[in-house]
Amino acid sequence: MSARIRNVAVLGSTGSIGRTALRVLRRHPDRFRTIVLTAHSNGDELAAQVATVSPRFVGLVQNGHRAAEGWHFGVEALVAGATHPDVDIVINAIVGAAGLDATLAALEAGKRVALANKESLVVAGSLVAAAAARGGGSIIPVDSEHSAILQCLSTRPGAEVSRLIITASGGPFRTWPLEKVRTASLADALNHPTWSMGRKITVDSATLANKALEVIEAHHLFGIPFDRIEVVVHPQSIVHSMVEFIDGSVIAQLGVPSMELPILYALTHPERIVDDGVPRLDPVAMSPLTFEPVRHDAFPALALGVGAGRAGGAAPAVFNAANEQAVALFLAGSISFHDISSAIESALRALRATPGEDRAALLAADAAARQHVQDLFAC
Ligand code: NDP
Ligand code: MG
């Protein structure tokens, strides 16, 4: 008997994850139909995707594309796309806190959210959980580390888990001397050794801010306290993460560094299906697999972010927004690599008393952190 076809929304379809998701979906027309596409400003790419996918709903945040008959414009299009009544699964591949409202709305509307937009969980983890509980939606992570953890956990209860061990590639500056890291150029930071990704997450991987976002993401997804989540550097990016159980057994998930499988699994979980587009692992070709401790002196953003996660309240939203703003300035060539972590530290210190109990407070904290970083570097 063939499975029912599931209708899918791809938010952020023009990005790195969005494009990969469309490739995965195109390989399984018997299981999935893409009926919603949204982008921010890349109307040309969106129009090309519309021509091949023929979706029922098209959203572009920035107005005014010429091929736009019947399209929906403005930020409202994100929530409208995420809650489209015909949609079963929402792939949220928007970058940054801009993806939060779509995550919340999709969960409230009872959808499965295949979540690449980790910033949603970092900014508002408890609101996301509440929205899922109220609306009956569920989150399946797309992030490779969290997909790995989900697969390692299988159906075992949380009480049997003693530790999550999240792997990090270490980024392009893993072996660089501290002083050289501080003045690394934009081109150096964008030259990731193992993963090909959008620019923001590529910089986050170089500072290890991405790993802080992922520790907070794991805390919310799997309900594991921060003191039982560890990060280990694994330069080959083959072991995507590990779970240690109370009897001492450690289960890991392996695969070549490609987002095809985590995206596919987020769509089919708990099932597995055949997909010839997922690259296969040759263990001999991939050896040796090595592990190292994190160099916290060279990559302070990791501890700053995990500290914010532990502090809770508005601190993770401040961490995330300060990072987003600083990375935008770094990408624009306005600040140095080291300035990114200094800006985060400064924002967390200045805004530590900021309340964070609801969406409005968290969005205010987000805005205050962006302004703080902007002001730091205004001359
Ligand atoms: P990209 O920058 O490649 O793509 C981002 C997408 O979001 C684009 O479609 C972009 O539209 C859209 N977008 C950007 N800003 C906004 C906004 N303000 N409102 C609505 N849409 C917006 O990013 P990635 O694909 O690399 O990353 C997407 C998310 O997935 C991030 O949260 C990242 O951390 C996460 N992730 C990514 C991985 C990867 O391998 N790339 C791995 C694991 C997680 P437009 O093109 O029009 O600008
Ligand atoms: Mg990841």
Side-chain angles (χ1 to χ4, degrees), residues 246-264:
I246 47 176
D247 59 1
S249 179
V250 176
I251 300 196
Q253 188 262 341
L254 282 69
V256 297
S258 153
M259 292 308 293
E260 306 265 343
L261 176 60
I263 291 169
L264 176 72

Side-chain angles (χ1 to χ4, degrees), residues 72-99:
H72 299 255
F73 294 104
V75 286
E76 303 77 20
L78 302 177
V79 165
T83 58
H84 189 288
D86 299 344
V87 163
D88 301 301
I89 303 174
V90 175
I91 300 179
N92 188 345
I94 296 169
V95 61

Side-chain angles (χ1 to χ4, degrees), residues 193-250:
T194 50
W195 292 97
S196 163
M197 310 178 284
R199 285 156 66 90
K200 188 259 183 183
I201 185 177
T202 301
V203 175
D204 288 354
S205 300
T207 60
L208 294 202
N210 181 54
K211 225 29 73 172
L213 298 175
E214 292 186 352
V215 168
I216 301 171
E217 181 187 8
H219 167 76
H220 289 297
L221 281 172
F222 304 113
I224 303 291
F226 284 99
D227 57 8
R228 293 201 275 128
I229 306 177
E230 286 173 24
V231 176
V232 64
V233 173
H234 168 50
Q236 297 82 21
S237 301
I238 298 293
V239 175
H240 294 310
S241 278
M242 309 176 225
V243 176
E244 183 191 69
F245 291 89
I246 47 176
D247 59 1
S249 179
V250 176

Side-chain angles (χ1 to χ4, degrees), residues 21-341:
L22 290 182
R23 274 204 310 277
V24 173
L25 291 162
R26 213 172 293 134
R27 292 199 293 268
H28 301 284
D30 54 327
R31 287 181 174 263
F32 304 109
R33 190 187 299 124
T34 304
I35 66 160
V36 171
L37 296 176
T38 77
H40 182 250
S41 55
N42 191 348
D44 289 339
E45 174 67 19
L46 187 63
Q49 293 178 345
V50 168
T52 53
V53 170
S54 304
R56 296 176 200 171
F57 180 104
V58 184
L60 187 65
V61 173
Q62 292 194 349
N63 204 338
H65 190 261
R66 57 190 157 66
E69 203 179 329
W71 290 15
H72 299 255
F73 294 104
V75 286
E76 303 77 20
L78 302 177
V79 165
T83 58
H84 189 288
D86 299 344
V87 163
D88 301 301
I89 303 174
V90 175
I91 300 179
N92 188 345
I94 296 169
V95 61
L100 173 62
D101 283 347
T103 299
L104 292 173
L107 293 169
E108 288 270 5
K111 316 286 191 196
R112 169 186 287 210
V113 178
L115 188 72
N117 180 252
K118 61 191 92 185
E119 294 92 343
S120 294
L121 273 172
V122 171
V123 171
S126 52
L127 299 187
V128 169
R134 262 198 314 272
S138 59
I139 299 184
I140 310 295
V142 165
D143 220 345
S144 57
E145 295 77 1
H146 306 75
S147 177
I149 291 167
L150 180 66
Q151 294 176 63
C152 295
L153 287 171
S154 185
T155 54
R156 302 313 303 163
E160 288 186 1
V161 174
S162 63
R163 230 176 3 141
L164 304 183
I165 305 169
I166 298 181
T167 53
S169 72
F173 310 137
R174 178 177 65 87
T175 60
W176 285 29
L178 177 60
E179 277 316 310
K180 202 173 157 205
V181 174
R182 293 163 73 100
T183 57
S185 72
L186 175 58
D188 291 330
L190 290 177
N191 186 24
H192 196 277
T194 50
W195 292 97
S196 163
M197 310 178 284
R199 285 156 66 90
K200 188 259 183 183
I201 185 177
T202 301
V203 175
D204 288 354
S205 300
T207 60
L208 294 202
N210 181 54
K211 225 29 73 172
L213 298 175
E214 292 186 352
V215 168
I216 301 171
E217 181 187 8
H219 167 76
H220 289 297
L221 281 172
F222 304 113
I224 303 291
F226 284 99
D227 57 8
R228 293 201 275 128
I229 306 177
E230 286 173 24
V231 176
V232 64
V233 173
H234 168 50
Q236 297 82 21
S237 301
I238 298 293
V239 175
H240 294 310
S241 278
M242 309 176 225
V243 176
E244 183 191 69
F245 291 89
I246 47 176
D247 59 1
S249 179
V250 176
I251 300 196
Q253 188 262 341
L254 282 69
V256 297
S258 153
M259 292 308 293
E260 306 265 343
L261 176 60
I263 291 169
L264 176 72
Y265 188 71
L267 292 165
T268 65
H269 168 86
E271 261 186 87
R272 294 186 182 277
I273 65 170
V274 176
D275 186 324
D276 294 337
V278 174
R280 298 288 157 146
L281 179 72
D282 174 351
V284 175
M286 294 301 163
S287 49
L289 300 182
T290 59
F291 300 91
E292 308 165 5
V294 174
R295 289 170 54 208
H296 286 286
D297 58 339
F299 305 105
L302 173 55
L304 287 168
V306 174
R310 285 177 191 272
V318 168
F319 169 76
N320 177 69
N323 180 55
E324 281 191 34
Q325 189 66 35
V327 170
L329 291 171
F330 178 68
L331 287 171
S334 309
I335 66 172
S336 74
F337 187 76
H338 176 65
D339 287 335
I340 300 173
S341 55

